[in-house]
Amino acid sequence: LDYEYESYASSTGSLLAWIEVADGLSSTTDRTFYMYYGNSSAADQSNATNTWSGSDQDPVGVWHLSETPTSHPYADDSSANNNLGTFNGSMTTADQVAGQLDGSLDFDGTDDYVETDDASVLDIGGTQAITEGAWVKLNTKPTGSNRYAVMMITETGYESSSHDKGIMIDSNGYAVFYYWDGSSVHFVTGMTDITDNQWHHLVGIYDGTGGVI
C-alpha cells in the first residue's frame, strides 16, 4: 500500500498521509486499513511517486507547497513527472505558513507566483479532460477588472492557446474556472464570496464538452 507523508509530529504521534487505494473505495462497503506503529526503528516505507501513479488517471502534477522559498530551490512535485516549480517575485522564508493540511505559501497578490517549466504532460489541449484543485484562503478581493490566479495552464499567456485552463478569483470574491475548448474561452463562475479568511477547496473540472467548479 503506497503512501506519502504530508506531515508527522514525533512529539504527539500526529500523522497526515496520502494513501493510494488502487481498486478504489466503495460508498456501500467498508474498507479496513491497518496501521503499524510503536516501533521507532522500523524502516520508512513511504513512496511518494508510487502513491500518485499506477492508473490511467495519474495526475500530471502534485504540489503540496510545503517548501520554504529561498531555503529550498523548488516547489516539489510528488507525481512521477517531476514538474518542479520555481519561486518568483518577492517571496521569502516568511511566505511559508501553516496550511489546511501542512505547509502552504502566502502570495502577496502582486508579483508572487510559482511556475513550472514547459512539459509535454502539461500540454492539455482543448478537448482533453482535466481536473484542477487547490486549497485557498483569501482575505481580500482583486480590484477592478483584475483577478487572482490560483492555477493556470498556459503556453504564452492568458487565453492564448488551446492549452489554456485555470482557476481564478474575480473582483466579487467568486471562484472562476476558465477553459479554452479549441475555438473559444468559456468561464464557469461560482456564486459564493470566498474572501472570508477561511480555507476553501476549489476544484475545476472540464470533461471535454463542458466545465464546472
Side-chain angles (χ1 to χ4, degrees), residues 118-143:
D118 186 24
S120 59
V121 295
L122 299 176
D123 292 339
I124 302 173
T127 58
Q128 289 180 274
I130 186 175
T131 298
E132 296 181 342
W135 283 97
V136 300
K137 181 180 180 181
L138 304 105
N139 55 19
T140 61
K141 298 179 177 67
T143 58

Side-chain angles (χ1 to χ4, degrees), residues 100-158:
Q100 173 68 1
L101 300 178
D102 186 23
S104 68
L105 292 175
D106 183 14
F107 298 96
D108 62 10
T110 302
D111 63 354
D112 290 354
Y113 64 98
V114 175
E115 182 179 27
T116 66
D117 290 336
D118 186 24
S120 59
V121 295
L122 299 176
D123 292 339
I124 302 173
T127 58
Q128 289 180 274
I130 186 175
T131 298
E132 296 181 342
W135 283 97
V136 300
K137 181 180 180 181
L138 304 105
N139 55 19
T140 61
K141 298 179 177 67
T143 58
S145 60
N146 295 319
R147 295 176 173 133
Y148 291 151
V150 177
M151 295 184 69
M152 298 177 67
I153 293 180
T154 182
E155 288 192 323
T156 56
Y158 168 58

Side-chain angles (χ1 to χ4, degrees), residues 147-148 150-151 158 166-171 173-178 186-190 194 202 204 213:
R147 295 176 173 133
Y148 291 151
V150 177
M151 295 184 69
Y158 168 58
I167 298 174
M168 303 178 296
I169 308 299
D170 69 12
S171 59
Y174 298 161
V176 179
F177 176 57
Y178 73 92
H186 302 268
F187 297 87
V188 182
T189 304
I194 63 171
L202 305 182
I213 190 166

